[in-house]
Amino acid sequence: MSSAPGAEGGSAAVPGSPVCLIVLGMAGSGKTTFVQRLTAHLHAQNSAPYVINLDPAVHEVPFPANIGEVY
């Protein structure tokens, strides 16, 4: 048995590899605030994220989104 991270079916993070983060939650749970703060932090680190807004009820978000307004 290996004790390495990801040895039990998960995937271990490889330095420099892309990360995919999906944010789900009930209305009013803080998803937009979380993504806004996360994108601001990443921009400050000169590591701009690629953001996709898949919520058809939201036409504008308070952070830069690469793809939005999906109908």
Side-chain angles (χ1 to χ4, degrees):
M1 284 256 172
S2 172
S3 61
E8 296 182 16
S11 61
V14 177
S17 66
V19 174
C20 177
L21 178 65
I22 300 172
V23 180
L24 302 171
M26 302 280 294
S29 64
K31 298 177 302 294
T32 298
T33 301
F34 172 71
V35 174
Q36 181 180 20
R37 291 180 181 174
L38 179 61
T39 57
H41 172 75
L42 290 170
H43 279 284
Q45 300 284 324
N46 291 321
S47 179
Y50 193 89
V51 179
I52 301 172
N53 174 33
L54 295 178
D55 188 343
V58 176
H59 298 289
E60 293 183 28
V61 290
F63 49 83
N66 298 92
I67 298 175
E69 298 187 29
V70 177
Y71 297 101

